[in-house]
Amino acid sequence: MAALSPPATPLDVGSDEVFTGLIVPDPEDVARLLRVIGRDLGERYELIGYLGRGAYATVWQARDRVTRQTVAVKRFDSGVGDGRGFFRELNAMFRLTHERFVRVINLMEASSGIRYLILEYCAGGNLRAAMSEARREKATCPPARAAVLALHIAEGLAEAHRLGLVHRDLKPENILFTRRDDGLFGGGAPLKLADFGLVRALQRARDTNDGALRALSGSPAYMAPEQFEGAFSPATDLYALGVILYELLHGRLPFEGTAERLAYQHLREPPAIDRSLPRPWPALVAALLDKEFTRRLPTAELIEKLRKVGRTTPQAAGRVARVRISGPDAAAFALFAVGTGFVAVAPRGLCRCAADGAPLEPIALSGIRCAEQAPNSDLWLARGGKLHRWAGAGSPVERLVVLGNIEALATPVGNGPPRVALVRADEVNEFQLSDTRESELLWRLPIRAGGLRPALLRLADGRLLCSEGPLHPRLSIIDAFGNRAASIPLPGLCWQLGRWDAGAYALLLVNDGFHAYRIDAERIVALPLAAVEDLCTLAVPPEGNGPLSGLRGDGGIVRWNRDGTLLPSLKWSSSPFTFRAFAADGQRHASLVRTADGCRVAVRSLDE
C-alpha cells in the first residue's frame, strides 16, 4: 500500500525546524489509510486518528479492544524493512523495559507486506512541539526544568548503552512526554525515549542519494561530528543530548543551515555558549558538545552532575563566619547542628566549628558519600559499603559493612537495639545492629528509584518513608516488617526529606521550582505549605521540633509554623556566595557556603 501522498505541506513552525519532518496530511489520504490500516490490524485494534509522520512511517492513535488501553501504531511505508533482518533488528527494542523508554507492545506484518509497530501511547506529545510552543512565546527553558529533562534523557541513554544499544538519531521528535500538561516544556510531565533500534533496523532497509549525509545516519542538526564520517558510539547520543540541552537553554540550535553547512559546523566550529548562564551549565554543555568523542562526559558522570545541578542554588548574599573549609574539603556537601556548634560533612571527613563559627579540630574519614542525623544529634555516615556512627566526640565508630554502595540511610530512633535502614541498588534493607558487629539483615524491599538517589527517613513511630520515582513520584510508607503499607503520591520529585514533629517535611521539585510540603503519614497525604519564591533548602533542629526553616537563593530565611503559615523572615548581611547546605539548632541558623576563595560556614542568630 502506498504511503501518505506528497501533497502534504510542512507545518508553519519556523525555518529552524527544517529537519523535523512534521507535515499536515491530506484528509482524503487519512480517511483512506484509516480503512486500510483497520483491515490490516484486524479486530484487535480500533483506530482513533492520525498522530504524525516521519521519514519512513506514519503514526496513528488506536485503542486495544482487549485491554482497553490506548496505543500508538507506527505503520512503515511500503518496501521499508523488506527481508528477515528487519524484525530481527527490531527485537532489540523489546529489551528496553526501563521506565524511560516507550514500551514496544507488538510487531506485526500484514498480508500486504506492510510492517507495524504497536507502541505505548504517550499523551503529552513530543519535546519538539513543546519547544515550538515556547519559542512562539519567546520563552527559554528554566534551568531547573532543563536539568530534569536532561536527567530523564540521560537515564534512558544509560540503560540503552548498558545493553549495547546506541540511538544514533536522538532529537526532540523522538522524546515524548508521558502525560499532557499545560505548562511550558511539558510542565511537570516525565519523558520517555522512542525509536531506539530503528536506525539500525532501517539502515539496511533503504538507501538514499545523499552520500555521506544519508538521512538514516541521523538528523544533521543533532548529529555528532563522528557521524558525518560514518562512525558512532554511546558518546554520539551524548552529543545529541548536548544539542538538545543547548536548544532548551538558548532557545535556538547551536548550528543551523543546509546539511553540508551543518556538517562543517559540527566538525569544525565551536558552539557559541551563553556564558551568562548560571554555573555549571556553560561547562556542562561544552563538555557534551566536545568535538572529540573520547572527551565527552561518561553517562554515569553526566547523571550525577545533573542531579547536583538540580540542587545547586543561585548566587546570593550572606555574612560569613570565621571558619574556612579549604583544599579538598571545599567539596563539603552537608551541614548539621551538633551540640553547641555545627559540623560540615565533606568526602574526606568532618569539619567542625563552634556556635559562633570559630573553627575546631577536623576529623578525617575518607570516602563519605552520604550522612544523616539522629534525633539525639548522633551522625551516621556512609562511605561505600561501610556505615559509621559519630556521637559528637572522638572518632566515628564503624558499625556495619555491607556489599555495594550505600545510597541513602535512615538513622535509628526509639529504645532497644538499634535498627538501621539503608538503600543500596534500588533496594531498602534494614539491619539489626549489635556490639559485636555481627549485624542481622531483617528484611529487604525493592523500590523504583528510576536512577535518582532516593530520600529515606525514619518517623518517630519507627516506620520509614522512602521516595520513589521519577515516573509517578511518590513516598512509600514502610512498616517494621519491610512491607509497603501505603504510598503518598507527590506532585514532583523529592529532593529532601526530614522529620518534623510527629510527621515529616519534604522539599519537592515541582515544574521549575522547589516547594515545601508537610508529609502527614497518618492521613497519607502531602500538604503544601505557604509558597516561597526561590526556595533552596529546608532545615529543623535535630530533634525535629519547632518551626520549619527554609533558605532562599537571595539569602533570606523563611520559617513556617506547624499550621503551615509563615513567620517573619530573616536576612543574611551582604557578601556574595553560593549556598550549599543549611542547618538550624533552634537558636541560630548556619549555612555551608561557597565563596571565591573556598567553602565557609555562615552563622545567623535568631535574635540578630
Side-chain angles (χ1 to χ4, degrees), residues 36-114:
V36 171
I37 297 171
R39 184 174 64 245
D40 284 348
L41 297 180
E43 296 297 322
R44 176 71 182 264
Y45 298 101
E46 173 191 0
L47 284 180
I48 299 173
Y50 174 86
L51 292 177
R53 173 170 182 82
Y56 295 94
T58 53
V59 185
W60 307 77
Q61 183 181 358
R63 182 178 292 107
D64 188 325
R65 289 190 173 99
V66 175
T67 66
R68 309 307 301 169
Q69 291 181 328
T70 300
V71 297
V73 177
K74 185 183 287 284
R75 179 188 189 269
F76 293 100
D77 293 351
S78 176
V80 171
D82 287 343
R84 299 177 184 175
F86 182 71
F87 276 175
R88 184 174 62 249
E89 296 288 351
L90 284 183
N91 273 326
M93 298 174 70
F94 282 96
R95 297 161 55 198
L96 299 173
T97 58
H98 191 277
E99 62 184 356
R100 288 285 167 247
F101 301 114
V102 175
R103 184 167 54 92
V104 179
I105 299 171
N106 199 3
L107 298 172
M108 300 178 62
E109 181 173 358
S111 58
S112 61
I114 296 295

Side-chain angles (χ1 to χ4, degrees), residues 15-337:
S15 60
D16 57 337
E17 301 198 6
V18 65
F19 296 107
T20 65
L22 297 172
I23 61 173
V24 177
D26 184 285
E28 293 184 3
D29 282 330
V30 170
R32 177 173 55 82
L33 278 176
L34 280 171
R35 293 192 297 270
V36 171
I37 297 171
R39 184 174 64 245
D40 284 348
L41 297 180
E43 296 297 322
R44 176 71 182 264
Y45 298 101
E46 173 191 0
L47 284 180
I48 299 173
Y50 174 86
L51 292 177
R53 173 170 182 82
Y56 295 94
T58 53
V59 185
W60 307 77
Q61 183 181 358
R63 182 178 292 107
D64 188 325
R65 289 190 173 99
V66 175
T67 66
R68 309 307 301 169
Q69 291 181 328
T70 300
V71 297
V73 177
K74 185 183 287 284
R75 179 188 189 269
F76 293 100
D77 293 351
S78 176
V80 171
D82 287 343
R84 299 177 184 175
F86 182 71
F87 276 175
R88 184 174 62 249
E89 296 288 351
L90 284 183
N91 273 326
M93 298 174 70
F94 282 96
R95 297 161 55 198
L96 299 173
T97 58
H98 191 277
E99 62 184 356
R100 288 285 167 247
F101 301 114
V102 175
R103 184 167 54 92
V104 179
I105 299 171
N106 199 3
L107 298 172
M108 300 178 62
E109 181 173 358
S111 58
S112 61
I114 296 295
R115 280 44 185 325
Y116 291 88
L117 268 181
I118 312 300
L119 304 161
E120 174 187 6
Y121 175 67
C122 293
N126 61 37
L127 182 58
R128 169 61 65 205
M131 285 179 166
S132 298
E133 179 185 359
R135 198 164 300 175
R136 286 192 291 271
E137 298 189 18
K138 296 181 172 56
T140 55
C141 189
R145 179 58 176 162
V148 174
L149 298 178
L151 178 60
H152 288 189
I153 297 169
E155 288 169 350
L157 294 179
E159 175 64 11
H161 297 164
R162 185 183 70 83
L163 295 173
L165 298 175
V166 180
H167 197 296
R168 297 158 62 183
D169 193 21
L170 186 67
K171 56 188 176 183
E173 286 77 8
N174 47 41
I175 299 171
L176 308 180
F177 292 103
T178 59
R179 64 174 186 267
R180 190 173 301 280
D181 192 308
D182 293 334
L184 287 178
F185 297 99
L191 289 177
K192 292 200 174 197
L193 306 183
D195 292 349
F196 254 101
L198 274 184
V199 169
R200 183 171 62 178
L202 291 171
Q203 189 79 45
R204 304 174 182 177
R206 181 181 293 182
D207 204 350
T208 66
N209 297 319
D210 295 333
L213 301 179
R214 290 168 21 177
L216 288 180
S217 64
S219 300
Y222 299 89
M223 283 169 57
E226 62 269 18
Q227 282 183 282
F228 293 98
E229 298 174 339
F232 66 90
S233 71
T236 301
D237 289 341
L238 295 175
Y239 186 93
L241 173 54
V243 176
I244 293 167
L245 193 51
Y246 183 103
E247 192 173 6
L248 286 169
L249 296 170
H250 294 76
R252 66 181 188 279
L253 287 163
F255 306 119
E256 297 175 346
T258 64
E260 289 76 12
R261 176 62 181 159
L262 283 167
Y264 179 82
Q265 292 175 109
H266 281 295
L267 285 163
R268 303 288 180 227
E269 294 184 3
I273 299 174
D274 182 359
R275 297 297 171 180
S276 68
L277 289 170
R279 292 182 298 175
W281 288 112
L284 185 59
V285 173
L288 289 172
L289 294 180
D290 199 301
K291 306 295 185 187
E292 173 53 51
F293 74 91
T294 60
R295 293 197 297 261
R296 291 174 206 146
L297 284 177
T299 314
E301 184 177 345
L302 171 62
I303 289 174
E304 188 63 27
K305 286 182 178 294
L306 289 170
R307 289 174 184 164
K308 291 180 180 179
V309 167
R311 294 184 173 93
T312 299
T313 58
Q315 294 294 319
R319 178 176 63 82
V320 180
R322 290 191 296 274
V323 64
R324 179 181 178 185
I325 304 168
S326 59
D329 290 336
F333 58 85
L335 186 68
F336 298 98

Side-chain angles (χ1 to χ4, degrees), residues 447 449 453-456 465-469 474-476 490 494 497:
I447 59 171
R453 179 175 292 182
L456 189 64
L465 289 180
C466 183
S467 66
E468 298 190 62
R474 63 181 180 177
L475 283 177
S476 287
L490 300 178
C494 183
L497 198 59

Side-chain angles (χ1 to χ4, degrees), residues 154-155 525 572:
E155 288 169 350
V525 66
W572 302 82

